[in-house]
Amino acid sequence: MLQGIRVVEFEGLGPGPFAAMMLADLGAEVIVIHRPGAGNPVAGGTNLLDRGKKSIVLNLKLPADLTIAKALISTADALIEGFRPGVMERLGLGPDEMQHENPKLVYGRMTGWGQDGPKSRMAGHDLNYLATSGALWYASEAASPPLTPPTLLGDVGGGALYLVAGILAGLLKAARTGVGTVVDAAIVDGSAHMMALLMSMAPSGNLLKERGKSLLDGPHWSRTYACACGGYLSVQCLEPRFYAEFLHRLNLGEDPVFASQNDPAQWPEQTRALAEILAAEPLVYWAEIFENSDACAAPVLAPQEAGRDPHMAARKVWSTKDGLLQPAPAPRFDGHDQSPGPVPERGQHGDDLRAGLARMALI
């Protein structure tokens, strides 16, 4: 889908590399400028987020390597960087300089706090951005501290995916006008923006400030339950017909305890009763009970287990390639091979890229 698009990525953490990987999955030529050394200690070993990319190692403190970085950017359609505000400008690689040389360049900036504001130069991580944006408030049950799956809601959802959307929008504008743009993708912005879907329920009274009292975070039919084996079953049968199917599968259709689906006063007792029922049998038992139904109940699977799920296996969502368990590229497009590319060695494509720049008389 993005064949012919060149993206230059500056090695960073989390959302920036994820966004670049997604663009590579979509067919863009992504050149990641790695720093000298072993690489990101957080990633550890082979970095899955580098799949499908080309790698060159540059020390941006050296004038010769800085020249190569500028030459690569002059050939690019888009750039991705995730440094604190001001770092790229101090290197002479800021958007003003680079877009002067390459007017159509889409300059993607990935930060937690954004390019401006009181916290823009402060350190932070996923949970901090979510906490500040409001997106963490409804995570977890009422009596528990808010908790989200690490990196998924902030780094990926509010960060990387908004950066990808911004870059794609910028590429469309550049193709139409010949003029690039600067994309300020901040995790606090994206994660707050995602709250619009949840906030859309507020006018109907289905979203209250107090956790555990709203439509999706309070009911007995919208939570995760422990099973006898130590596994967990997710339940979220929102619509009345799905709730009825859920009760039918449990032989609870005539039980007065569960007759009222949406009475908040009854949710605590209904939750306790349902927890006791589901804790009596192992997860495999409940998975069989709810299989091929519209009860909206599903086992909670680890990634290593998800690949063996019949549905996930049929869609080939998880696979092991080059010794790494990894998800397939998404979304899917008809008529396109979307097999993920290999993870390069650090600096693997340095000689070829330098030679290409030399042939173009850029270095």
Side-chain angles (χ1 to χ4, degrees), residues 83-322:
F83 300 122
R84 293 196 199 188
V87 172
M88 290 292 277
E89 282 80 358
R90 288 196 295 272
L91 290 169
L93 299 174
D96 290 343
E97 297 92 337
M98 295 301 95
Q99 289 177 330
H100 177 76
E101 298 296 327
N102 183 0
K104 67 179 176 60
L105 180 69
V106 177
Y107 199 105
R109 318 199 78 166
M110 183 72 258
T111 61
W113 300 114
Q115 293 298 311
D116 52 33
K119 293 186 177 182
S120 62
R121 297 178 184 271
M122 292 176 56
H125 281 299
D126 192 274
L127 281 178
N128 311 131
Y129 311 135
L130 295 179
T132 302
S133 73
L136 189 63
W137 182 253
Y138 293 99
S140 300
E141 298 176 10
S144 304
L147 181 67
T148 68
T151 77
L152 289 184
L153 181 56
D155 283 357
V156 176
L161 298 186
Y162 277 81
L163 178 58
V164 169
I167 287 175
L168 294 178
L171 289 171
L172 288 173
K173 178 200 172 191
R176 186 178 69 252
T177 67
V179 179
T181 189
V182 177
V183 182
D184 179 1
I187 296 173
V188 288
D189 296 350
S191 57
H193 187 260
M194 289 193 297
M195 289 293 290
L197 178 61
L198 200 59
M199 299 297 288
S200 69
M201 297 188 294
S204 63
N206 289 325
L207 184 66
L208 307 176
K209 181 181 178 181
E210 186 179 357
R211 288 197 303 123
K213 300 293 185 179
S214 300
L215 183 65
L216 296 181
D217 74 336
H220 56 296
W221 47 260
S222 182
R223 59 185 61 240
T224 300
Y225 290 94
C227 302
C229 60
Y232 298 92
L233 182 75
S234 71
V235 176
Q236 196 167 55
C237 40
L238 169 63
E239 291 81 359
R241 68 183 186 278
F242 299 153
Y243 180 68
E245 174 68 11
F246 176 75
L247 295 181
H248 171 71
R249 293 274 170 157
L250 291 174
N251 294 319
L252 297 174
E254 305 300 323
D255 193 320
V257 172
F258 298 99
S260 177
Q261 179 182 358
N262 294 314
D263 181 359
Q266 298 187 45
W267 286 346
E269 176 55 34
Q270 290 169 326
T271 298
R272 284 190 290 270
L274 191 54
E276 183 177 341
I277 291 169
L278 294 175
E281 300 288 349
L283 180 60
V284 65
Y285 174 86
W286 298 120
E288 185 175 344
I289 290 290
F290 294 113
E291 187 175 5
N292 298 321
S293 78
D294 284 339
C296 300
V300 177
L301 304 176
Q304 295 82 355
E305 301 169 322
R308 298 190 293 271
D309 175 82
H311 178 79
M312 302 295 274
R315 291 183 59 82
K316 299 181 174 61
V317 175
W318 289 98
S319 64
T320 299
K321 184 176 181 180
D322 300 327

Side-chain angles (χ1 to χ4, degrees), residues 36-49:
N40 175 13
V42 178
T46 304
N47 188 353
L48 175 60
L49 298 184

